[in-house]
Amino acid sequence: MRLYLLAALCGLPALVTPFSQALAERTDVEVRVMARGAKFMGGYSAPVRVTLTDAETGELLARGLTSGTTGDTQTIMNTAHVHGAALANEATAAFRTSLDLDRPRQVTLSVTGPLSQPQATTTATSTQWLLPGHHLTAGDGWRMELPGLIVDLASPLAYQWVQAGQTVPLRAGVTLLCGCPMSEDGPWRAGDTEVDAYLRIDGGPPTRHRLAFDPTQALFVGELPTQAAGLYELEIRAWMAPSNNAGVARTAFFVR
């Protein structure tokens, strides 16, 4: 009898393990990330990093990058958003993964991007339950939004030298996080965006210079006068009020 019980106990794990494994069900998850007030984030070599973790244990469930296009502008910007209707199509940027779940999991999603523009990179998180066998793929799947603007300085170059008395041209590109360009009359109007340069000389108080939109270059432009020699530190601030989006870029140059 004792030998029988011992054998039965020793065999118990072999009986339990296949049963628990049989409970695991494939659960597909699609993640898409939109730039606030604009389109989906795709098209970069390193667009958005997606991380799925168990909210209770911290276990890493999946990680990867979105890939695909930014989506159809007409559908996203000009079509009324019907409840449950998809804004994405098959080519729209997404991260896709399959999880083997043997029980409901409360999962935290973290998205970070655009990775190719470090000065504009931001992170958003969300948590929800995933149930075994119930795919999170309807509509746009698990859709997230990232706020911000990409501000990229074309001029002046970092740490360039100029002569005192020269006027330094300011040239700044400003786009949505999806890379969607601004124009005078397109879906993302330059007139809705304020772009200012704040200049400090040798750590002194800042002076503000407003930049104007140049439609021929699709850049915000201005001119910086220089006087005394020193270190000129420059900060460009962009604000798009209708979508509550902001962006910043910084550089410095020398005057001698």
Side-chain angles (χ1 to χ4, degrees):
M1 178 62 73
R2 290 180 179 177
L3 291 175
Y4 175 79
L5 290 174
L6 180 61
L9 290 172
C10 290
L12 185 59
L15 294 174
V16 172
T17 301
F19 179 71
S20 63
Q21 289 177 344
L23 289 177
E25 296 184 65
R26 171 175 168 165
T27 307
D28 296 336
V29 179
E30 291 183 358
V31 177
R32 291 184 175 85
V33 183
M34 296 193 77
R36 178 188 288 169
K39 299 171 66 177
F40 291 93
M41 295 177 64
Y44 298 104
S45 59
V48 179
R49 181 172 59 247
V50 175
T51 306
L52 295 170
T53 57
D54 187 299
E56 297 176 335
T57 66
E59 176 189 354
L60 177 64
L61 302 177
R63 175 179 288 160
L65 301 175
T66 59
S67 62
T69 71
T70 57
D72 180 72
T73 303
Q74 179 72 19
T75 300
I76 295 171
M77 301 303 299
N78 300 327
T79 303
H81 293 182
V82 179
H83 179 69
L87 299 178
N89 54 41
E90 283 299 316
T92 303
F95 168 73
R96 297 177 175 89
T97 189
S98 295
L99 306 176
D100 291 323
L101 302 182
D102 59 2
R103 66 186 188 281
R105 294 259 200 146
Q106 197 171 28
V107 175
T108 295
L109 166 64
S110 175
V111 296
T112 300
L115 300 179
S116 59
Q117 299 292 325
Q119 79 280 18
T121 299
T122 188
T123 298
T125 61
S126 177
T127 301
Q128 67 171 296
W129 284 101
L130 296 187
L131 304 181
H134 292 272
H135 305 307
L136 207 167
T137 56
D140 296 326
W142 197 340
R143 189 173 73 195
M144 296 286 284
E145 179 185 87
L146 287 177
L149 297 170
I150 298 172
V151 182
D152 193 24
L153 269 172
S155 175
L157 298 176
Y159 299 116
Q160 73 177 84
W161 288 86
V162 300
Q163 292 291 331
Q166 285 186 333
T167 298
V168 177
L170 280 178
R171 303 290 183 269
V174 180
T175 66
L176 283 299
L177 294 191
C178 53
C180 302
M182 294 190 189
S183 62
E184 291 185 306
D185 54 5
W188 305 282
R189 297 193 310 116
D192 292 332
T193 305
E194 300 174 9
V195 181
D196 292 297
Y198 287 79
L199 180 66
R200 292 178 182 270
I201 303 173
D202 289 334
T207 57
R208 187 178 72 171
H209 305 264
R210 175 60 54 92
L211 276 66
F213 185 70
D214 180 357
T216 63
Q217 304 180 74
L219 296 175
F220 288 85
V221 302
E223 304 290 337
L224 275 183
T226 64
Q227 299 173 355
L231 174 64
Y232 283 55
E233 296 175 286
L234 183 64
E235 180 177 84
I236 306 296
R237 304 177 190 177
W239 169 248
M240 180 180 277
S243 55
N244 295 314
N245 277 318
V248 174
R250 298 186 179 99
T251 193
F253 60 96
F254 295 103
V255 174
R256 57 185 175 185

